[in-house]
Amino acid sequence: MRSKVGPGAVLALGLGVLLAGPAPSVPSQALEREGVRVAFSLSPVEGGTQALPGAPATATLTLTDARTGEPLEGLRPFAWMSPREGETPPDEKVCKALARGFLGGMLSRTPDVNMNAYLVVTLNHDNTLSVINPQLAFARTKLQSLITLPGTPADWVLHPSQDHLFLTLPGANRVAVVDTVRFRSRGSMQVGKQPTRIALSPDGRTLVTGNDGDGTVSVLDAHAHEVRQTVRVGPGHHELAFAEGGRTLWVTSSGGEEVHVVDVEGAAVVARISLEKGASSLAASEKAGAVYVASPQRGELAVLDVRTRK
């Protein structure tokens, strides 16, 4: 999920599951009640057979029709995880009381894992990110934490794994990395001058920044957090879009008269398509095999063929 509106933008994140103690990988277990089959499984995120204390794990609940085995759609179940008190499983009355307490959102009655929870992250006008818990019943604020960055962010993109966030810092010529599980900074990477727009390839492997200060695009390894190559494109502000399943990156330059097509794997310009000066935002359509480029000065929308690059 990404935003292209700069500071003041909002991002919603699902919460990960953090285990307080060691737990083995749990194969699917199920129970049936009132015609519904509920299956539960738990597995460590980072491989292995046992989730370590404080490490993220994946908990999966699957609801199906007990008779047909078909998935139940359109449901919005609530689910929590909390340690059992005593050896005997709680009865229905106790479970309902626990659910009422958890639904209240009070700090005094919180489960260890809330599988219905989400957080909202805002991109602020200073060098911070605000992490907001909208479900928390607190006196005057729902602010959970404030993350300080080494510069004021301009744009951001969330990795498909949802465990980290990349942000451009134009004043610092860097890209910051934020851990969205523990909500803390994971460092930053030096890129070109005044990086503004940022984009991530569909497979989550390649990160690119449009560097408005030196007419370049930085191509980075999203996993190693390293710059692979710097590619020269046109001057001015850049907008970015991946096409062809992420194999190519299309770049507009507000000060140039060409759209540059960059081969992502080779990190090199493979085509230049002439357009009138002033082309700005663009979007790619895999189904149409086209890239659409807006030209506000001329009031036009150019349609570029991805295959012929014309």
Side-chain angles (χ1 to χ4, degrees), residues 3-241:
S3 166
K4 300 185 70 175
V5 296
V10 176
L11 176 71
L13 297 174
L15 288 180
V17 176
L18 288 176
L19 297 183
S25 176
V26 178
S28 182
Q29 301 180 18
L31 63 86
E32 294 183 9
R33 185 169 181 181
E34 298 178 4
V36 177
R37 184 177 188 271
V38 181
F40 172 80
S41 62
L42 180 70
S43 59
V45 169
E46 299 172 355
T49 58
Q50 180 171 285
L52 299 176
T58 300
T60 305
L61 284 169
T62 307
L63 281 72
T64 56
D65 187 297
R67 185 177 59 85
T68 66
E70 291 295 317
L72 296 179
E73 299 180 353
L75 301 181
R76 295 182 179 273
F78 290 95
W80 304 270
M81 294 175 65
S82 198
R84 179 192 299 176
E85 295 182 2
E87 296 295 326
T88 306
D91 58 22
E92 183 175 350
K93 182 179 179 180
V94 173
C95 285
K96 286 184 176 180
L98 284 170
R100 282 194 298 269
F102 295 154
L103 284 168
M106 302 303 293
L107 288 174
S108 58
R109 295 294 301 275
T110 57
D112 282 54
V113 176
N114 187 347
M115 298 178 71
N116 325 292
Y118 61 94
L119 297 174
V120 176
V121 182
T122 65
L123 191 66
N124 300 328
H125 286 280
D126 55 15
N127 62 331
T128 64
L129 294 178
S130 296
V131 182
I132 299 166
N133 187 342
Q135 297 177 320
L136 185 65
F138 200 59
R140 297 183 59 186
T141 179
K142 296 180 183 292
L143 182 66
Q144 178 168 306
S145 61
L146 198 65
I147 302 170
T148 301
L149 302 170
T152 301
D155 196 14
W156 57 359
V157 63
L158 180 66
H159 194 270
S161 64
Q162 295 199 21
D163 61 4
H164 54 288
L165 184 67
F166 298 104
L167 307 99
T168 55
L169 308 175
N173 300 331
R174 305 188 74 85
V175 171
V177 186
V178 171
D179 184 326
T180 54
V181 176
R182 297 169 180 85
F183 285 101
R184 62 189 183 193
S185 175
R186 291 176 58 178
S188 62
M189 301 166 277
Q190 186 79 35
V191 291
K193 292 183 180 179
Q194 199 179 340
T196 304
R197 289 290 177 241
I198 189 168
L200 190 64
S201 61
D203 62 7
R205 294 173 51 196
T206 303
L207 188 72
V208 293
T209 63
N211 307 317
D212 296 353
D214 58 12
T216 65
V217 170
S218 293
V219 182
L220 304 94
D221 187 314
H223 295 293
H225 299 171
E226 296 176 347
V227 177
R228 284 171 34 202
Q229 193 75 34
T230 300
V231 181
R232 184 156 295 281
V233 291
H237 174 68
H238 305 95
E239 294 286 344
L240 315 167

